[in-house]
Every structure is written in C-alpha cells, then in structure tokens.
Amino acid sequence: MNAQQQNLFDIEPPPWEVDDDADEMAAKVVFAEAPWGPFEYSVPDPMRGDILPGKRVKVPLGHRRRLLEAYCIAVAQKAETSKRLKPIAAIIDQQPLISASMLSVAEWMAEHYLCHLGTVLTAILPLGVRGNVGTKLETFFRVSPQAAEKLGQRKLSPMQARAFEHLAASPRPLTVRQLAAAVGCSTGPILALRKKGLLDDETRRVQKAEAEETAAPREENITLNADQQKTLAAIALALDAGKHETILIHGVTGSGKTEVYIQAIQQTISFGRQAIVLVPEISLTPQTRSRFRARFDRVAVLHSHLSDVERHRHWRRIASGEIQVIVGARSAIFAPAPHLGLIVIDEEHESSFKQDIAPRYHVRDVAQRRAQQENIPLVLGSATPSLESWKRAQEGEYQLVTMPNRVSNLPLPHVATIDLRNEFSSGHSRGAISRQLRRAMSQALDEEGQIILLLNRRGFSTHIQCPSCGDVLKCPDCDVAMTHHREKDIAICHYCDHQIPAPQRCPACQSTGIRYGGLGTQRLEAEVRARFPHTPCLRMDSDSMKRHGSHEEALARFRSGEIKILLGTQMIAKGLDFPNVTLVGVINADTALHLPDFRAAERTFQLVTQVAGRSGRSNKGGHVLVQTFDPDHAAIRAAVRHDFERFAAQELPVRREFGYPPFGHMIRIVVRGTSAEATEMVIDAIAKHLQQAADATGVRLRILGPAPAPLAKLRGKHRYHMLLQSTDPQGLRAVVLQATANIEPPDDVQWVVDVDPLQML
Ligand code: ADP
Ligand code: ZN
Ligand code: ZN
C-alpha cells in the first residue's frame, strides 16, 4: 500500500487531467483520545509529496478548529462524492514513525482486543519518540552544485576560501559549529558563504550527546549438542524458506535453549536481517544483557528503567537498521526494525507477556501477527509451554521441537514432596520449614552448596486474625486481608498500598489476643536467620527490591557465593542460572492452587517446575523439596516428575469440558465504581444487552455472572465482572461491541473489556 501511494506522488499528472477537485488527496487520521476517529482531511497541495501513513499530523477539530495531533493511517485519492474536507494543518514527522506492516499489525490489535487504533498506536510509540526527547534540530551545510559557476563571480576572503575548501573536501555535510572548529574561524565566514549562494543547507533531527556503551568481552560459540543442533536446524530451515512459521521449543530447564536462540540469530544477521528476543522483564538481568552483548556487535536491551532519552536513542538506532538484536520485555515487539528476520519469545508461558492496561494485548499473538506480516519465523521456547501453544503444536499449527535433556548430560534434579498435614498433626513444626527441609538445608550448606527457598507471598504474615472473634483485618478499600510487615510494624494492603499501624487489639471485639497468622517472605526470612544464624541469607521480593538496581545487586551477591540462602517470591523462580545451587525448597506449593481462576493448576505446575529447574545446574547435582498440603494434586505430582506432557494430558480434557481456553474463547468484562448500586446497574445493563445481541445475531455464547469480582473492592472501587465464553471468537467480539455500543455509565463508573483474559481476580 505504502509503495503504491508513494508512486502516486512521483508521477506528475498529465495536464489534461488537472482538475481542482478530481485529484484531491485525502488522509485518514485517528486521535490518541476521544473522539477517536477515523476522520478524513484533505491534503493541501504543498504537503502532497510529504504526507505518508505512519506520520503524525496536526489537524483542526470541532467548530473552534482547535489544532490536535493525530496519526495519519491512510492516504488516498479523495472520493468524488465526499463532502468538503477540512485541510491538514501541518505534518509533524519527517519520516513515518510506523511502517506499513506495523500499521497493519496495529489495526489487527484494535480489532482483536476491541480497543481504539489511537490507543494501540500510542502504545507502540515510546513516549520519548513521540516527544522527540534528547534530540534537536540542526542545520547541515554542503557545497552547492551550482557553486562552481558562481565561484568565478564572487570574491572570497582567505577565511571564507579555507572554509569553502574544507567543506568541499568533506565526505559528509557539516554544521556551522563543526566547520568553524575544523577551520579555526568564527561562524561569520561560513554564514557569508551561504549568503553568496555557495552552500546548500538541510535541517535534520539529531541525537544530543551519544552515550557510548561499553563493549562486552567477546565469547566464542558453544558447540551445540545433538538436540540443540536439531532445534537450530528446524529454525534454519524456516529462515531459509523465507515464510512465516511458528516453532515451539519445549525444552526442559537448562536444556540450552538460549544458546540455540543465539545461533539462530547469528544466521539471521548473516542475511542482513534483525532479530527481536522477548524475555520476561524480570529476566532482563545484567547476565542476560552481557550474554547477548558478548555474542553480537550491536545489541539494544530495552528494559523498564531506561529513560525516555535512552529509549528514543535505541529506537532511532533500531529504525536506522544499525542494531542487529533487540532484547526486551513485552513492548520490544514494537521495535521499528526495518529488516526483521526472526522473533524469539523465551518463557512464552509467562503471564507478564499480557499487558493489563489497554491495549490488553498478549505479545505472543501480536508477535505471530507481525511474523506473518513480515514472512518470518517466530520461535517460542519454554520448559512449561502455555496450554494455548501446546494445543496449537499438537494440532500441527506450530512445529514442535523437544529438548528433553539438560546440556552436558546433567540430570534433572530429584524432586520430593513433604506432606505438611503430617508435619502439623505430629506437632513437630511450628514454623514454615519442616524438619526434613531443615535437615536438607544443613546438609547442602555442609557440602558448600547454595539454597533457594520459594514462598510466593510477600510480607511477614499474610493476615492478622483475632482468635476470639475470628475477625481478619481487611483493607477498607479492597476487601482483601491486609498483610503484616514487621520491619515497620504496619499492616499494608497489597492491592492499593493502604497502610495502618499493626493493631494491638482486635478492631472488632477489642480482644488483646490478636494473632499474626499465615506466612510471608519476611517471616520466612526471620525463621531462616534464627535457624541458621551464621549463614548469610537474602530476601528477594518486590518489597526488598524496590530500589532500581537492587535486583541485579542481589543476584550478583548470590552468584559470587557471598550469600548462601536466597529466599523470595516468584522473582527467584525464573530463568536464573546458578551452577552452585544444590537445593531448592518450595515452602508452600499450594499458595496459587485454590485461587478462583481456571488456570490455578497450570500456574502452580509452572511455578513449581520452574523453581525446581534452578537446582542441579552443575555436576554437583541437586534436589528439590516441595512442601504441600495436597501432594496428590495432579499439578504437583506432574511437577515432581518434570512431566509437562502428563500435566497437559490431564488438564486439557478439563478445559475442553468447560469450554475454557484453549478450547473456547473468552472475554472478561469488569465494571468498577465508587457506588456499588450504580456499578451493579451498569453491569446488569451490559448483561442484558449482551443477551439481546446474542439472541439477535444467533451467536452461541455462555455468560458467567455478572458477579462481584474475587477482588470485590479495589482502591476504593466496587468491582463486578462477567465472563463470556464462545467457540466463535468473531461472533463473540461482535456481540460485545454491539452490547456496549450504547452503554452510557455515570461518570464514576468505568468498564473494561479484556479479550483473552489471563487475570481473573
Ligand atoms: P535454557 O535457556 O534452556 O535454560 P541455557 O541456554 O541458558 O539453557 O543453557 C544453560 C547453561 O548451559 C548455560 O550456562 C550455557 O552456557 C550452557 N550450555 C548451553 N549449551 C551448551 C552446550 N552445548 N554444551 C555445554 N554447555 C552449554
Ligand atoms: Zn486496599
Ligand atoms: Zn476480635
């Protein structure tokens, strides 16, 4: 589309066709906020050669003709019948910020996720790019092609002559400052040259001072083992074929997947192409960075702590084609790589790949769309693939490659469960760590090994409960139990951060026997310190790791061996490669098992399998102890055996029976507001419209709810939700669009439509 439109501008219209109206151009634009558009504007003649889809423009809006920024999404010959259009006032960008192929991905996103194209485009373009931060306009001079003729007629001072000669010899245009410095003159002689018509100038946007990245020491390629070679060959075949294909690598933890990605990217680069590697934000550690920097010359690592200036700089270097590899979290899928050749998503099952604000996209689906658009392979890798991807692989939509063994013939660690019911009934343990786990810890420390303890819950204890009346201290705004944090002796709501001093008496019955029950990471830390007083131990969760860089620092201390015991939430479960870890303890495998979410078993399986994979990554061997109240649960039994296929075989029939993903499609509607009644009225109205729209269109769908959401109150707002299920995704979307089209909620009630939801709370 783009190329054709450009052609239109290249060709001068033959004179007999020049007719004021007939060849008028129109641009279709959308706004980043309401009114969203699309709207049409006419393109004034002087802008014709410059207007392109993907550029931003300024257009008048409303009868007051206020100038607003908008995205141009299409340019076409104005339809003869169309009414008079208002003209575009200005074109903002010199180059399109969004390529034609990305624009088509964005349009798909808006349609699939039922959101506005303007919202998607704003999400695609980093703030720093939109604001052009860290750049300035600069004027560059070169010698004019006509200078030779003019030179004879103009007399030059010696300084002017020197500046002219220097510029004529320069291989690229120079700014006044650069030229003046090179010749050793003031700006006067140069400006005089321009006045005499000897110089041409051109204004370009340039980067302010460039920060040079320190080069990482180079590392040689590792010789791949047979499984890795087989996997690389499959990717290479897809790269050679020059067509889109999705390859799912199911490789156990430590099977050497990353090494395969790296060598596949090297092939991609050898064709002059670029690659995007998506990893969960938490995995963007210095280790990951240096691993890629050591193997490629020009890598951009896009992590969440970049400043707008840095982000903009990376963006421009990517867009210029200079960067070979882009490593980043979710939003790196939008990197403006002009010659993309490969997309890799590591740990593809991670729920952080779904964005929880609009546009609520899942990066796996966006990546697939982009890869299709650009005819390139998409590689997904995981030790615990999502059931969505697994099903597609089973049905042949994805190519499945398995890597069932760890590299260098290292065995997977042995995993055993500890039944907490016995532990409690025998009265042996009052703490979080069972006798068996304690013994294993002592032994691991005696043998100079390191330990990881996982407890997926922050805080000192999870709740504050009165033994006399049973009252649990809850957040007044969110209706969830508040968590005791001992360091400051306060109670915190983990949803809205509401904080109060920990009460000494029960707020309900005034009893002084109030108890701090449950178990969080802070309490676990206290117990570990009490039991192993001479062993350096470190807690890692979002409370202790708030400061930028603290996560990296903690990992470095653990890697160096200074810290012997690392304990924390799921932060420590993923992707880390510490050869000296010989014991992993899961304090309570059941924390996620009973949440009101149909993916609870899948999440539990993933978490236990992933954290188990941190153990035994060297020839020192390793094992894993999993404490649970439910050792016979299918998810836990499968995790103990590292048996993903068995888990999937058990879980998929359940999903099928209930029509849950990956068999049915889902949309979740959440309505929230300060007044419970008003909120409920809005969701009831949506429910009624949904039913009517379904009846009218004949789309078969199941409506669950409306009901109060599991988090019935959050940050002071009441929440109701509704789940819609159907085997017909297009029909489902159409029904939702129709049903919500005319809902006009009161001011303080908002609703959210979440397509393919991952979050059910
Ligand atoms: P995964 O991504 O599957 O968890 P990695 O690619 O991180 O696995 O590999 C785990 C460790 O094994 C890394 O330290 C890596 O350098 C090393 N490794 C990878 N492939 C090989 C190989 N063929 N031979 C020896 N070591 C390897
Ligand atoms: Zn709260
Ligand atoms: Zn009480």
Side-chain angles (χ1 to χ4, degrees):
M1 174 174 100
N2 206 346
Q4 269 172 12
Q5 277 160 0
Q6 272 175 327
N7 275 339
L8 281 179
F9 300 115
D10 293 344
I11 303 165
E12 281 279 304
W16 60 87
E17 266 185 27
V18 175
D19 164 10
D20 264 6
D21 254 24
D23 71 335
E24 204 180 334
M25 302 298 296
K28 204 193 262 186
V29 311
V30 295
F31 292 104
E33 53 192 43
W36 301 92
F39 299 110
E40 285 204 337
Y41 286 86
S42 67
V43 181
D45 277 347
M47 289 183 202
R48 282 183 156 218
D50 201 20
I51 185 81
L52 280 177
K55 289 189 176 188
R56 289 169 306 165
V57 292
K58 285 226 151 107
V59 292
L61 186 77
H63 46 255
R64 292 175 55 204
R65 312 235 153 177
R66 208 155 46 95
L67 284 190
L68 283 185
E69 193 176 308
Y71 299 101
C72 173
I73 58 166
V75 182
Q77 201 89 242
K78 190 183 147 191
E80 273 177 47
T81 50
S82 68
K83 57 179 169 51
R84 271 207 91 68
L85 301 174
K86 279 182 245 170
I88 290 176
I91 297 174
I92 298 175
D93 303 304
Q94 295 180 341
Q95 299 296 326
L97 298 185
I98 296 165
S99 67
S101 120
M102 208 57 210
L103 203 50
S104 119
V105 172
E107 277 163 353
W108 173 83
M109 286 173 70
E111 203 179 296
H112 185 89
Y113 295 105
L114 298 177
C115 58
H116 301 285
L117 184 53
T119 308
V120 176
L121 295 176
T122 304
I124 286 180
L125 290 174
L127 194 65
V129 175
R130 278 179 275 135
N132 262 324
V133 298
T135 64
K136 57 186 172 189
L137 286 172
E138 204 145 38
T139 303
F140 291 86
F141 291 104
R142 69 170 83 234
V143 168
S144 157
Q146 286 85 42
E149 322 164 4
K150 293 182 184 168
L151 211 51
Q153 309 149 25
R154 310 264 198 284
K155 236 179 97 56
L156 300 188
S157 75
M159 227 11 147
Q160 288 171 0
R162 264 179 55 199
F164 183 86
E165 275 156 27
H166 188 89
L167 190 60
S170 163
R172 58 180 164 270
L174 298 176
T175 64
V176 172
R177 236 173 350 96
Q178 285 167 338
L179 185 53
V183 185
C185 65
S186 69
T187 57
I190 299 166
L191 297 178
L193 286 174
R194 178 165 69 166
K195 242 177 147 176
K196 290 180 175 161
L198 297 174
L199 307 185
D200 281 351
D201 57 278
E202 165 197 16
T203 303
R204 265 189 284 153
R205 190 164 282 286
V206 296
Q207 211 72 49
K208 289 183 192 158
E210 292 265 322
E212 273 309 308
E213 253 144 36
T214 46
R218 298 295 288 191
E219 270 169 22
E220 293 300 311
N221 272 354
I222 294 176
T223 310
L224 300 184
N225 65 27
D227 280 338
Q228 288 173 312
Q229 279 172 20
K230 175 191 69 179
T231 311
L232 181 63
I235 303 173
L237 212 59
L239 285 171
D240 281 340
K243 62 180 176 39
H244 168 65
E245 181 173 6
T246 302
I247 297 172
L248 174 64
I249 306 177
H250 172 218
V252 298
T253 53
S255 55
K257 295 185 288 296
T258 310
E259 196 54 42
V260 174
Y261 307 150
I262 288 176
Q263 300 200 16
I265 295 167
Q266 288 172 343
Q267 298 199 5
T268 309
I269 291 173
S270 71
F271 302 140
R273 298 281 196 108
Q274 299 159 288
I276 295 179
V277 184
L278 302 174
V279 301
E281 175 74 39
I282 194 81
S283 311
L284 281 171
T285 56
Q287 196 191 357
T288 314
R289 274 178 241 177
S290 56
R291 195 162 173 188
F292 280 91
R293 289 232 172 89
R295 308 292 278 281
F296 299 100
D297 291 331
R298 296 183 299 279
V299 181
V301 180
L302 307 178
H303 56 84
S304 64
H305 290 292
L306 288 179
S307 69
D308 286 341
V309 174
E310 290 168 313
R311 209 172 281 281
H312 186 204
R313 182 169 57 85
H314 282 308
W315 194 92
R316 292 173 72 96
R317 291 181 65 204
I318 295 166
S320 76
E322 176 194 341
I323 292 289
Q324 301 166 316
V325 189
I326 300 120
V327 185
R330 199 173 52 222
S331 63
I333 191 60
F334 304 125
H339 311 294
L340 195 58
L342 178 69
I343 305 175
V344 175
I345 306 184
D346 191 28
E347 312 285 0
E348 66 90 30
H349 63 279
E350 273 282 316
S351 49
S352 66
F353 281 134
K354 164 112 176 158
Q355 177 153 295
D356 57 8
I357 55 168
R360 296 181 163 74
Y361 67 91
H362 197 298
V363 84
R364 194 197 303 126
D365 297 315
V366 177
Q368 191 165 355
R369 204 69 206 176
R370 186 164 185 196
Q372 265 166 9
Q373 192 70 35
E374 317 220 4
N375 278 315
I376 58 170
L378 166 64
V379 173
L380 309 175
S382 177
T384 56
S386 65
L387 291 179
E388 281 78 0
S389 296
W390 185 247
K391 176 169 169 277
R392 288 177 188 163
Q394 295 299 306
E395 291 173 348
E397 198 183 328
Y398 293 172
Q399 184 189 159
L400 178 67
V401 190
T402 48
M403 297 171 63
N405 302 304
R406 284 190 158 178
V407 292
S408 316
N409 297 319
L410 290 174
L412 280 164
H414 178 257
V415 186
T417 51
I418 298 172
D419 191 335
L420 289 174
R421 290 169 304 190
N422 302 338
E423 191 68 25
F424 275 101
S425 58
S426 63
H428 277 309
S429 176
R430 295 210 46 80
I433 303 173
S434 63
R435 275 185 313 160
Q436 211 179 323
L437 178 54
R438 200 159 68 231
R439 258 188 267 123
M441 288 173 69
S442 303
Q443 195 185 341
L445 294 172
D446 286 346
E447 291 164 3
E448 302 283 312
Q450 285 172 293
I451 301 171
I452 287 179
L453 295 180
L454 171 80
L455 177 61
N456 206 12
R457 206 173 255 173
R458 295 142 64 199
F460 190 73
S461 56
T462 47
H463 58 273
I464 300 174
Q465 191 170 30
C466 168
S468 324
C469 75
D471 190 64
V472 172
L473 186 68
K474 286 190 171 173
C475 170
D477 291 331
C478 302
D479 198 39
V480 295
M482 297 186 79
T483 303
H484 185 222
H485 284 241
R486 200 174 62 158
E487 282 164 352
K488 295 185 196 152
D489 202 27
I490 52 176
I492 300 183
C493 168
H494 278 190
Y495 290 107
C496 74
D497 213 32
H498 180 64
Q499 306 189 358
I500 54 168
Q504 300 307 308
R505 292 166 176 277
C506 168
C509 75
Q510 305 304 318
S511 153
T512 51
I514 192 151
R515 248 187 57 206
Y516 299 117
L519 173 67
T521 40
Q522 282 189 38
R523 174 137 162 187
L524 177 63
E525 181 186 11
E527 186 176 335
V528 169
R529 289 190 192 281
R531 295 216 189 273
F532 301 93
H534 306 296
T535 309
C537 135
L538 187 84
R539 172 169 61 90
M540 198 154 152
D541 55 29
S542 49
D543 293 314
S544 65
M545 298 292 133
K546 274 200 175 114
R547 191 172 46 79
H548 172 40
S550 50
H551 181 236
E552 282 82 0
E553 197 183 300
L555 292 180
R557 288 174 65 198
F558 191 55
R559 180 173 307 280
S560 75
E562 174 200 338
I563 302 290
K564 298 286 182 220
I565 304 176
L566 182 67
L567 66 93
T569 55
Q570 49 165 345
M571 251 187 199
I572 61 171
K574 303 178 178 170
L576 304 178
D577 187 18
F578 295 114
N580 199 35
V581 172
T582 55
L583 174 66
V584 165
V586 179
I587 299 300
N588 184 347
D590 314 338
T591 46
L593 207 48
H594 304 296
L595 291 176
D597 182 339
F598 72 90
R599 288 194 181 86
E602 187 178 7
R603 299 248 165 83
T604 301
F605 173 79
Q606 289 168 348
L607 187 62
V608 173
T609 309
Q610 293 287 344
V611 73
R614 301 312 115 213
S615 179
R617 285 179 162 249
S618 75
N619 50 21
K620 286 181 86 171
H623 63 144
V624 182
L625 291 173
V626 178
Q627 304 192 137
T628 169
F629 285 99
D630 204 350
D632 293 325
H633 193 284
I636 291 181
R637 288 178 58 162
V640 163
R641 294 187 169 82
H642 309 281
D643 195 346
F644 171 77
E645 295 196 20
R646 177 192 172 118
F647 169 74
Q650 286 163 342
E651 182 70 9
L652 282 172
V654 181
R655 299 280 181 92
R656 185 198 297 272
E657 189 186 335
F658 290 95
Y660 285 133
F663 294 95
H665 298 268
M666 277 181 114
I667 292 184
R668 182 180 187 226
I669 298 182
V670 182
V671 181
R672 54 170 191 247
T674 37
S675 142
E677 292 74 48
T679 311
E680 208 175 349
M681 264 170 62
V682 171
I683 199 155
D684 284 344
I686 295 178
K688 203 181 83 199
H689 285 107
L690 277 169
Q691 195 60 64
Q692 285 167 353
D695 292 344
T697 52
V699 173
R700 291 168 55 118
L701 77 160
R702 184 167 157 226
I703 304 181
L704 303 158
L711 292 173
K713 214 173 164 203
L714 191 61
R715 298 182 188 92
K717 303 233 169 158
H718 296 272
R719 301 168 83 243
Y720 289 82
H721 76 161
M722 194 161 41
L723 291 170
L724 315 174
Q725 277 176 274
S726 176
T727 49
D728 170 8
Q730 287 303 346
L732 182 58
R733 270 191 286 277
V735 165
V736 170
L737 269 188
Q738 201 175 323
T740 51
N742 297 312
I743 298 283
E744 279 179 19
D747 272 354
D748 72 328
V749 178
Q750 296 102 35
W751 88 76
V752 161
V753 174
D754 190 358
V755 179
D756 310 331
L758 282 188
Q759 186 59 262
M760 299 292 164
L761 298 180

